[in-house]
Amino acid sequence: MRVPFIAGNWKMNMTIAEAVELVNGIQIGLKWPEEVDVVVAPPFTALKMISEVSKDSYIAVSAQNIHQEENGAYTGEIAASFVKDAGATYAIIGHSERRQYFGETDEVVNKKVRVALKHELKPIVCVGETLEQREKGDFFTVIEEQLSKGLEDLTKVLASEIVIAYEPVWAIGTGKVATPTQVEEVHEKIRNFLKKTFSDEVGESVRILYGGSVKPSNSQEILALPNVDGALVGGASLKAPDFINIIKSLPSK
Ligand code: PGA
């Protein structure tokens, strides 16, 4: 059985004080939920503080990005080992905003996935098509390429450490949610890809999240889909009650 997974991607929001208030709000509002992995991804500056505040709670912490090299002359960048040192146990990799605004390619994603795993950070690897790619029809080819290049040459053992987030670019921050049929179709294809590429066990065990305008009013329907194991939530994760209600809307599958 796959343990459901709800992650909040705070993006470029939250000072340290605001981040502490938000994480406290989640902890006060939701006592230890059974059988759910709850993860928050604050900005780098709040990582250590949020890791400390969440230490004895059910909340785990993720970085929103890492650099693909281990260290060296890369002014302004943050290494996997640094976020691990600050208390993170996950790293979001290949978010569409990184791909779109920072030129992140599938090859870079693959390097980041490897460096994360080397430093015992579990990668949350994001894939998803643009509106133009969806309208052209053959959008799963795009997703399959993101997956095959992004996860290239991983062993089965390492592949089983990964979490995948399917985030159609046209649904991120736009209020447009993919329909349940659209979501389930892609999730099933991603799971089949994992089975084919790695093994049936890997395909069955890897959690596949949906992301893109998830909010309390639509989460129940999405999270009930057979191949959806959770959500990567942006905007709605910035308000404790909304984030809590999304966690509470998980079905018992
Ligand atoms: P959104 O963002 O929930 O605000 O659409 C999701 C994401 O980018 O991870």
Side-chain angles (χ1 to χ4, degrees):
M1 205 204 78
R2 298 182 292 272
V3 176
F5 193 107
I6 304 288
N9 174 11
W10 296 354
K11 307 195 179 184
M12 200 172 75
N13 298 292
M14 299 284 145
T15 61
I16 295 174
E18 288 165 346
V20 170
E21 197 184 325
L22 178 54
V23 89
N24 282 338
I26 299 167
Q27 285 175 29
I28 292 164
L30 184 69
K31 299 300 167 206
W32 210 290
E34 280 166 40
E35 291 287 325
V36 187
D37 284 336
V38 178
V39 176
V40 296
F44 289 127
T45 45
L47 265 185
K48 187 163 172 59
M49 182 62 112
I50 296 306
S51 301
E52 279 169 10
V53 170
S54 315
K55 203 167 57 193
D56 298 318
S57 81
Y58 56 86
I59 297 176
V61 175
S62 175
Q64 297 176 14
N65 176 38
I66 49 168
H67 194 259
Q68 63 269 31
E69 300 298 336
E70 292 204 65
N71 49 41
Y74 300 99
T75 302
E77 292 297 323
I78 308 278
S81 58
F82 304 166
V83 302
K84 180 78 186 174
D85 183 44
T89 48
Y90 292 89
I92 298 174
I93 296 178
H95 189 278
S96 66
E97 286 151 17
R98 302 286 324 165
R99 295 177 190 260
Q100 188 178 347
Y101 305 131
F102 304 95
E104 216 159 281
T105 61
D106 294 324
E107 288 71 21
V108 170
V109 168
N110 185 252
K111 284 189 180 167
K112 291 187 177 194
V113 167
R114 288 162 176 283
V115 85
L117 290 165
K118 185 168 175 190
H119 292 278
E120 292 173 2
L121 288 168
K122 293 187 175 137
I124 303 172
V125 182
C126 303
V127 295
E129 79 285 3
T130 61
L131 185 59
E132 198 190 341
Q133 288 162 340
R134 174 155 285 263
E135 282 172 350
K136 273 194 193 149
D138 198 15
F139 57 88
F140 195 72
T141 312
V142 175
I143 297 169
E144 190 159 33
E145 186 167 321
Q146 291 172 339
L147 287 169
S148 59
K149 289 187 177 165
L151 308 182
E152 197 173 313
D153 287 339
L154 291 191
T155 62
K156 286 178 197 168
V157 175
L158 289 179
S160 64
E161 295 288 305
I162 283 173
V163 175
I164 307 269
Y166 168 54
E167 299 205 309
V169 179
W170 48 273
I172 296 179
T174 57
K176 282 188 201 153
V177 195
T179 65
T181 315
Q182 287 172 324
V183 176
E184 179 59 18
E185 183 194 13
V186 176
H187 279 234
E188 194 183 0
K189 285 187 168 157
I190 294 175
R191 198 169 302 292
N192 287 337
F193 170 89
L194 295 171
K195 286 184 185 171
K196 190 180 70 191
T197 310
F198 299 104
S199 68
D200 281 355
E201 294 73 40
V202 171
E204 283 301 336
S205 65
V206 166
R207 270 88 54 93
I208 307 175
L209 318 179
Y210 171 76
S213 298
V214 174
K215 38 188 186 279
S217 59
N218 60 29
S219 57
Q220 194 176 6
E221 192 177 25
I222 295 167
L223 294 171
L225 296 167
N227 281 296
V228 174
D229 305 308
L232 180 54
V233 187
S237 71
L238 298 174
K239 291 192 189 117
D242 285 355
F243 192 58
I244 289 169
N245 283 330
I246 291 170
I247 298 167
K248 284 188 179 166
S249 73
L250 276 165
S252 36
K253 280 185 191 167

